[in-house]
Amino acid sequence: MLLTKGDLFDQESKLARSGLGDLFDYVEIVSEKNEATYQRILARHQVSPAQFLMIGNSLKSDVLPVARLGAQAVHVPYHTTWIMEEVPAEQLVGVAFHTLTSLAEVPAYIELLGSSPVI
């Protein structure tokens, strides 16, 4: 599933131009990524938080809401962060997530998840 935030037509256009659309069974384009949005999408697709892994570059929109729901989250930082997506360090205390340095590391991480218990 691809879950992206933004203007519907803009995001649809980006996905079409990328050529990646056929790689996803589902595409969700939302105006806000927060706990309520993720809960609604997981319920619609009958996915429990324990079965969900979010991979994204935004601590605020991709990682924190998902981790707070009890799902797994992976942060892949980008070299620049929009000021509206910055998160004070104190909001990260006690939030479990994993950080990778690039998307190239994602397949190995997913393989690791499948071969060992997640703690």
Side-chain angles (χ1 to χ4, degrees):
M1 176 188 308
L2 172 69
L3 196 158
T4 186
K5 172 179 149 180
D7 176 76
L8 177 64
F9 297 113
D10 184 46
Q11 295 300 319
E12 286 178 337
S13 175
K14 285 180 185 178
L15 184 59
R17 289 190 318 267
S18 75
L20 299 174
D22 291 339
L23 298 176
F24 299 96
D25 291 332
Y26 304 100
V27 174
E28 296 280 352
I29 301 171
V30 299
S31 58
E32 188 62 44
K33 288 183 182 175
N34 55 31
E35 288 178 54
T37 299
Y38 286 107
Q39 282 180 320
R40 188 174 59 253
I41 290 170
L42 291 176
R44 181 181 318 129
H45 293 281
Q46 300 178 343
V47 175
S48 73
Q51 298 172 301
F52 189 70
L53 168 66
M54 177 61 163
I55 301 167
N57 67 334
S58 170
L59 287 170
K60 182 178 180 182
S61 297
D62 299 325
V63 172
L64 290 177
V66 169
R68 288 179 180 143
L69 290 175
Q72 294 185 60
V74 173
H75 182 228
V76 183
Y78 189 64
H79 67 277
T80 58
T81 301
W82 183 40
I83 195 165
M84 299 301 290
E85 291 293 320
E86 291 181 359
V87 176
E90 61 269 10
Q91 288 186 19
L92 299 176
V93 174
V95 179
F97 64 94
H98 192 81
T99 300
L100 300 176
T101 59
S102 81
L103 288 175
E105 297 175 352
V106 169
Y109 180 74
I110 291 173
E111 187 174 319
L112 178 69
L113 289 177
S115 65
S116 65
V118 177
I119 299 174

